[in-house]
Structures are given as structure tokens and as C-alpha cells.
Amino acid sequence: MAELPSKTYRIQGLSCTNCAAKFENNVRSLEGVEDAKINFGASKISVQGSATIEEIERAGAFDNLRIRGEQEQVSLKEPFWKQKENIKVVFSAILLLISWVLDNRYGEGSMMPVIGYAAAIIIGGYSLFINGLKNLFGLRFDMHTLMTVAILGAAVLGEWGEGATVVILFAISEALEKYSMDKARNSIESLMNIAPKEALIFRGQHEMMVAVDEIEVGDTMIVKPGQKLAMDGRIMKGASTLNQAAITGEAEPVYKTVDGEVFAGTLNGEGLLEVEVTKRVEDTTIAKIIHLVEEAQAEKAPSQAFVDKFAKIYTPAIMLIALGLAVLPPLVVNGDWAEWIYRGLAVLVVGCPCALVISTPIAIVTAIGNAAKNGVLIKGGIHLEEAGAINAVAFDKTGTLTKGVPVVTDLKLLAEGFTPQDVLGIAAALESRTQHPLATAILQKAEDQGAGYRSLVVEDFTAITGKGIKGNINQETYYIGKPHLLEEVAGLVYPDEVLEQISSLQHEGKTVMVIGDHMKLLALIAVADEIRESSKEAIRKLHELGIEKTIMLTGDNSGTAKAIGAAAGVDEIEAELLPEDKLTIIKQWKQKYGRVAMVGDGVNDAPALAASTVGIAMGGAGTDTALETADIALMGDDLSRLPYTIRLSRKTLKIIKQNITFSLVIKILALLLIAPGWLTLWMAVFADMGATLLVTLNSLRLLRIKE
């Protein structure tokens, strides 16, 4: 039998974990639905089957949930105090206040305060009662059921004022919880709105505005100065600086020209660009980032899994305690039924596990969202927690500690009558005929220095296997290659000072080339893969954070490795390694230090990344490999984000522990007030609401952690 198709929708108004579970069950029971799965952190539901949006929305009518398509534009939310549910809370609170004044003035015998209290209960608690009664008759005991029983019990006992207070405090608590969850999700909502929903496309000799879901791979997109790109693509015509902060978290604009890769959501600077679309809207880098972050927010961290298991035991235990407290004293020691039922109701209220259940997910959602806005993709709560417990960090060299692109660092002239431009022109003219990686560095340097190498004609070009190249320029034969090339092919004897210069440059981890003719040396050219500006500072900060050991792993030679490692400030250096050697070292370090992170480029470091406790990839502005391989991706190729990530992780772990402690301590203190009979219903709700507020506000502090 063929599997039914699955479709994902966004949910508006989802703030409570209990409501999420109920909604999921309601959708699952719809006709034509085989399965449904809610992502609470991202506020999404995946439905496998044939249900319509209207049917799904009816399944969430109990909490006024609204459903929209996954790619739909986020609708503007009404201001917090203009939302219908919140207006009802304010109106009920006013009724409660008026009733309290009347109660104090006319005394207990008057019906006016009772009517006012009852009206406040009905207006403020209508949706609560509907859900609670349905759950009660269906023998489902959640927060709404507990609160409904408590409020009805208070009314039966004649405690109308307390019943109304319970309703208002509970409604305020729910409103604030919803507000907090919305704030925590804002990072993803803002990511969704980064890229435009339509673009100017050139088709059939005409320019037209086309919705992004109708744009095809191969279309030509026109991007004017000051506009955001709607799709990923490749520049066909034009040049401009682009702000890629949406992808990399780095606000410094990047200059790009023909053949440059560009991303949806980035801001075009001063140039008019014609861009060939290379990905459909659902495959763009920003779409992948959003999907990964939302999936990460759905994945349960170890502490969340523990809390969920604990809550399953905790809730029935509280109900049994409440029932025992209400029934046993009157039956066994002839206690007053009204008094002990009241105390049982108070236990029910204070025992609501709401704050405990939300203590971890709200912290995880907030932290992962904050990281995404700062250019760090964390692919799950488990990786967020693990990053905070790292004891050692291993780094790949090329493309991680270094830029991965060789550049000319030194040009030392050795012959009179030649300028740097002359030497670079000859070198670039020769190197333009080769595919050697170092040739790119020389050509780039020649371009930067304005050396006119394109006008030079190279004749009789020859590669000298394993040593270098030669060619005739203006009837003169020039050589460029390894340091001792001219000793071997032209019999030149190098002066001692030249040999010292070669040795010195090599000790700095640079590759040295000589250029000259049959008669003389023209210059020494040193090329190196430059260390990233952020590497040394990032490693210093890691040591400040208490990371025990840092190590650099590279397949490069020992000389270069030592030079780069010393410049970066790592504790240990391992050179001339194969990928399997890196894997072995990571396994050894895990035995020695416990939790080890590996930072690499996500391609040749895949085995080591997979074996480490946390694999961290240099994102390369959103390369697919980095997004798929690692547990964490640094989108701006910026190592300064690594100390930030570890600080964020540690702060998240600390806040989760604080949240769980707050929730349990407040409830234990409130339960201790039961014995002397000091715990009232309104105090019980206030304790529950206080715990929820402390947990949510404490979690939102994670939004303040910056790089």
C-alpha cells in the first residue's frame, strides 16, 4: 500500500505544550489522516494524509489556533493588548476588582459581589472550562482539567472570589506564556521574511514580477541597487557589494562580480545585477537554514527528555496526593470535608507541571534562534548542550585556521633594473599557462599590483616535471619554480644571503619560489595560505573559557604546520596526517579528555567530524556539505563565533538547570504551606504563575547573549 503524502503547515497561537499534544491527537484522529507530528519550537505541524486546512483548523479550535501554508507570508500579528483573548482577561480583571470592592462594602450576604465574581469566572475562563470539561469527561488529566476542577470546587464551596482570582491569574499566566513563546520564535519568523516573495524576472524579451514559487532554475533575475535577492544564483552580468548578514551573520559587505555565487535574502549594494537562478525557492540556502533551525528546535535535548519523563510520573502523583488529602482526613480523623476538599483543590492547582514542562524547550528555542541570527547553525538541542561541556577542541588547518586560499606574502628583488611589477609580470605570464594552485596566487598579486602580464607573449613554454616551468619572453628564457631550480638547470651559485632568506621564509611556513634566467636570480616569491584574522583571538578566548587543550590537525608538512600552529596559539600540532589519522587522534582525545569538538571544512574532515562529540563545520556561506555534515555550522567562516557558541551553550545549560530548580522549589514551598492550612487557591495559582513567569523570563535572557 502506497504511503500517503505528508504536508507541513505553520500554526499561529500555539504556546502551551499540553495544547500542542492535544492538537496533535485531534489532527491524528481526523478522517483521511494517517499520522501527524507537531514541532512545538517552530510552531509547525506535519500531516500525513488528505486533511484540508479548514479541517486541521477545526481540530485546533479549542485554543483558537490558526493554520497557514509552510511558505506563506507571515501575517502581521495584532498588538499584544489588542488580541481578543487578552481583552477578555482585562475585562474580567476589572469585574473582579469591582466585585471585591462590593464584597468589602456590602459583606458576605450580598448577591452583587457573587454575580460579579461569577461573571468574571465565565468571561475569563470560558475556553478553559470548555477544554477542562471535555478532558474531564474523556478522563484526560492536563492543566486545563486540574484548573477546571479547582475553580468549580471553589464555587461549590462558596469561595467565589478565590475562584475568580484563580481564573484571572491563570489567564494572565497563559497570555504571558504565549507572549514569551512568540518572542522566542521571532528569530525564525524574521528569517522567513528576509527574502522577498517575488522577483523581477527576464523572460521572452520582457521583464516581469514573478512569485518565488513560480521561478525556475535557469531564469534570469534582475536585481537593482538596494534590493534584496529573492533566489540563490550566479552573477551573469554586473558587479556589486552584497550584505550577506542574513546567511553568515557578518554585516561587512562582500564584493562579487561575474560568476560569483549569491544567496536569497542578501542585500545588493550599488550595482545592477543579472543573476542566473540556480536553485528553487525550497532549496535556497536561507530555506535550508530555516528548515535546519526548526528541526533543531524540535529535537529534544537530554534535559528536556528527562523533564518529559519526570512530568509523566509527577502529574498522576500530584492528582493522587490531592485526592488523598481531600478524602482521607474527613474519613479517617473526622476532618471537615469543606476544609480538606479546599486543600486538595489547592494541591491540584499548585501541582500543575506547566512551568516544569516548558523550562527546557523555551530555553532551547531561544538559544538556537539567537545563534541562527548570529550566523551559527546548531542542529539540535543535544548538540547545543554538548557544546557547553566540551573539554578540548581540534582544528583542521587549511580552510579552518587558515583562509584556504594561497596568497603571495613576500617578493624579494635580487637583481637591479627590475621593478616588482616587471618580475610579477614575467611570473604571471608564465604561470598563466599552468593549473598549479600557487599560480592563482601569483596571478592575483599581478592583478593587484597592476603588472601588465597579458601583453607579454610566452613562447616555447615547458613544464620541468616536479621542479617548475620555463618559457621565452622577448627572446629571453625565464624560469620559475622550486628554490634550487636555477642551481640545477642553469648552474647558478646562490649567495649565502639568498640561501638564508630562503631558509627564513620556509621556517615561517611559506612556500618559496625563485624566478630568474640563465645568468641571474631576479627575485624570491613566497606564497602562503594566510592564517585567518580571527583564528588567534578565537583560540585565546577558548583558553579563557577553560578549554583544556587545543590541537591543530593537518596533512601539511611539519615546517608549515609548526609556523601556522604557533601563530594561531594552539597547544599541540599534528602534521602530515591522512584523514584516517585525524580520526584516530580524535578517538584518542575522547578517551583522554571526554568531550572533544572537531572544527573542519565539512568535506575532507567528515570522518573526524562524525567521530567527535560535536562536529563544527566552517559554513562557507552556506555550502550544502557543511550544512549536512556537521552538528554546528559557522556560517561566516568566522572562528570568532566558536567561543560565542560555547558561551551560549553554557549559559543555556545554566538557565535550564535554574528553570528546573525554580519550578520544583516554588512548588515544594507552596506544598509545605498545605499542612498548616496557609495555602489558598489564589496563592496556589500565583505560585504556579510565578514559576512559569520566572522560567520564561529567565529563558529570554538568552536573547541578550551576543558575539
Side-chain angles (χ1 to χ4, degrees):
M1 185 177 172
E3 195 175 83
L4 293 172
S6 181
K7 195 166 183 183
T8 303
Y9 304 92
R10 297 196 174 273
I11 312 165
Q12 282 184 312
L14 187 69
S15 62
C16 156
T17 49
N18 286 319
C19 302
K22 182 178 177 182
F23 178 47
E24 185 178 83
N25 287 330
N26 287 355
V27 174
R28 204 174 276 143
S29 63
L30 289 173
E31 190 177 341
V33 173
E34 192 171 281
D35 195 18
K37 188 175 181 182
I38 274 196
N39 178 335
F40 177 69
S43 199
K44 289 166 66 173
I45 184 167
S46 296
V47 181
Q48 191 178 339
S50 56
T52 64
I53 285 181
E54 291 74 20
E55 288 171 333
I56 297 169
E57 209 162 74
R58 278 199 294 275
F62 68 91
D63 203 30
N64 296 313
L65 301 180
R66 293 286 174 267
I67 308 300
R68 65 178 189 268
E70 187 177 21
Q71 299 297 331
E72 269 186 55
Q73 176 75 36
V74 178
S75 58
L76 293 172
K77 294 183 178 73
E78 285 182 304
F80 183 70
W81 292 113
K82 287 189 177 181
Q83 293 173 21
K84 189 168 69 174
E85 293 83 1
N86 299 336
I87 292 170
K88 286 196 297 185
V89 174
V90 173
F91 188 54
S92 298
I94 293 168
L95 273 175
L96 174 64
L97 185 62
I98 293 169
S99 303
W100 180 77
V101 171
L102 291 173
D103 198 5
N104 281 309
R105 183 168 182 181
Y106 295 111
E108 290 185 11
S110 173
M111 284 300 294
M112 289 177 66
V114 174
I115 293 168
Y117 287 138
I121 288 171
I122 292 167
I123 294 168
Y126 175 76
S127 58
L128 165 67
F129 294 140
I130 296 297
N131 294 327
L133 290 171
K134 282 181 181 176
N135 290 348
L136 191 59
F137 291 127
L139 297 178
R140 293 188 301 272
F141 297 98
D142 65 2
M143 182 174 56
H144 292 92
T145 317
L146 303 185
M147 297 302 292
T148 301
V149 171
I151 294 160
L152 291 176
V156 169
L157 294 172
E159 300 289 347
W160 290 96
E162 286 210 25
T165 306
V166 168
V167 166
I168 305 308
L169 289 176
F170 179 74
I172 291 171
S173 174
E174 286 227 304
L176 289 172
E177 188 180 326
K178 185 175 287 189
Y179 174 76
S180 300
M181 280 306 299
D182 283 345
K183 194 169 180 64
R185 291 183 182 122
N186 273 349
S187 52
I188 303 306
E189 295 282 6
S190 61
L191 278 177
M192 286 179 62
N193 290 322
I194 281 172
K197 300 302 175 186
E198 56 181 13
L200 185 63
I201 299 294
F202 187 76
R203 280 183 188 167
Q205 306 304 311
H206 297 288
E207 292 181 2
M208 61 186 77
M209 293 301 293
V210 179
V212 289
D213 53 359
E214 295 175 10
I215 296 174
E216 299 293 338
V217 172
D219 277 342
T220 300
M221 178 172 64
I222 312 295
V223 188
K224 297 177 182 177
Q227 286 186 337
K228 281 187 176 181
L229 280 75
M231 307 289 285
D232 283 12
R234 181 180 59 82
I235 298 175
M236 299 165 60
K237 187 177 179 183
S240 185
T241 54
L242 291 105
N243 186 329
Q244 299 189 149
I247 305 296
T248 66
E250 180 55 63
E252 191 68 31
V254 179
Y255 181 77
K256 298 201 176 187
T257 185
V258 174
D259 287 333
E261 190 178 7
V262 292
F263 306 98
T266 57
L267 180 65
N268 182 26
E270 71 289 343
L272 178 71
L273 299 177
E274 290 186 17
V275 176
E276 180 188 2
V277 175
T278 55
K279 294 178 182 175
R280 286 190 51 80
V281 65
E282 61 269 20
D283 299 322
T284 60
T285 301
I286 193 73
K288 283 189 175 181
I289 289 172
I290 293 167
H291 177 71
L292 284 170
V293 173
E294 290 180 334
E295 290 303 306
Q297 290 176 331
E299 184 184 324
K300 289 187 177 178
S303 56
Q304 187 177 347
F306 162 75
V307 167
D308 288 349
K309 287 177 185 174
F310 180 76
K312 284 182 180 177
I313 302 164
Y314 169 86
T315 306
I318 285 290
M319 294 199 68
L320 286 172
I321 292 169
L323 182 63
L325 197 64
V327 174
L328 291 178
L331 290 176
V332 177
V333 295
N334 205 27
D336 180 62
W337 279 97
E339 179 189 343
W340 288 101
I341 288 172
Y342 181 87
R343 291 191 188 188
L345 293 174
V347 170
L348 271 187
V349 172
V350 81
C352 282
C354 186
L356 186 66
V357 170
I358 205 171
S359 60
T360 302
I362 193 168
I364 296 291
V365 167
T366 305
I368 290 176
N370 182 19
K373 290 185 81 171
N374 283 282
V376 179
L377 278 184
I378 303 172
K379 292 169 66 174
I382 186 168
H383 308 307
L384 177 68
E385 288 196 13
E386 291 282 15
I390 290 299
N391 299 314
V393 182
F395 296 90
D396 174 46
K397 179 183 78 71
T398 307
T400 302
L401 291 177
T402 66
K403 294 177 180 177
V405 179
V407 293
V408 173
T409 56
D410 301 85
L411 175 63
K412 297 187 180 294
L413 294 176
L414 302 173
E416 292 182 4
F418 285 84
T419 67
Q421 284 78 12
D422 294 335
V423 172
L424 283 170
I426 294 166
L430 292 170
E431 293 287 4
S432 65
R433 302 296 187 91
T434 78
Q435 298 294 319
H436 195 278
L438 299 182
T440 309
I442 292 172
L443 291 169
Q444 185 62 54
K445 187 71 172 179
E447 292 278 3
D448 294 343
Q449 295 291 317
Y453 69 90
R454 288 188 175 87
S455 60
L456 298 179
V457 178
V458 179
E459 297 175 330
D460 297 329
F461 176 83
T462 308
I464 306 168
T465 307
K467 296 178 181 179
I469 54 176
K470 70 174 183 175
N472 291 341
I473 300 174
N474 297 329
Q475 281 77 53
E476 183 66 61
T477 301
Y478 293 99
Y479 298 82
I480 182 169
K482 288 188 172 182
H484 299 286
L485 173 66
L486 289 171
E487 285 182 328
E488 296 172 15
V489 299
L492 296 184
V493 178
Y494 294 0
D496 288 343
E497 60 266 27
V498 170
L499 292 172
E500 285 175 11
Q501 284 182 322
I502 291 171
S503 179
S504 175
L505 290 168
Q506 286 177 330
H507 276 101
E508 291 173 19
K510 297 170 182 176
T511 301
V512 181
M513 293 179 282
V514 295
I515 181 169
D517 56 30
H518 281 100
M519 303 296 294
K520 59 189 174 296
L521 285 167
L522 297 183
L524 299 179
I525 299 174
V527 177
D529 180 6
E530 283 190 315
I531 190 169
R532 292 182 187 275
E533 293 84 354
S534 58
S535 295
K536 187 173 183 178
E537 183 67 7
I539 289 167
R540 185 187 66 78
K541 286 182 178 177
L542 288 176
H543 288 144
E544 281 182 0
L545 286 168
I547 296 297
E548 289 180 47
K549 280 286 182 181
T550 54
I551 185 172
M552 185 182 80
L553 309 177
T554 179
D556 213 336
N557 66 75
S558 295
T560 302
K562 284 176 183 175
I564 297 294
V570 294
D571 295 321
E572 293 186 22
I573 299 159
E574 292 282 353
E576 300 177 17
L577 301 174
L578 296 170
E580 54 265 34
D581 298 327
K582 292 183 182 181
L583 178 61
T584 302
I585 290 171
I586 290 293
K587 287 179 178 177
Q588 290 170 352
W589 269 45
K590 281 176 77 176
Q591 289 179 346
K592 189 175 181 181
Y593 296 105
R595 291 183 170 88
V596 177
M598 172 68 192
V599 189
D601 60 14
V603 185
N604 60 347
D605 299 309
L609 286 169
S612 61
T613 311
V614 181
I616 302 168
M618 304 299 280
T623 60
D624 291 345
T625 308
L627 295 180
E628 290 163 11
T629 305
D631 304 318
I632 296 174
L634 308 178
M635 298 307 294
D637 280 354
D638 184 356
L639 277 177
S640 67
R641 309 282 163 81
L642 184 55
Y644 153 78
T645 305
I646 290 175
R647 281 196 302 111
L648 177 67
S649 172
R650 289 180 178 177
K651 189 70 174 176
T652 305
L653 283 170
K654 190 175 178 182
I655 279 178
I656 287 170
K657 287 173 184 173
Q658 288 172 354
N659 287 348
I660 293 170
T661 305
F662 286 157
S663 305
L664 293 175
V665 168
I666 287 174
K667 290 186 184 301
I668 289 166
L669 289 174
L671 288 170
L672 289 175
L673 297 177
I674 292 284
W678 295 343
L679 185 70
T680 62
L681 275 178
W682 71 266
M683 284 171 63
V685 178
F686 199 76
D688 183 61
M689 184 180 78
T692 304
L693 275 178
L694 276 173
V695 161
T696 52
L697 293 175
N698 195 38
S699 298
L700 291 178
R701 288 196 300 135
L702 290 166
L703 290 172
R704 292 162 50 192
I705 297 178
K706 302 296 178 190
E707 187 184 326

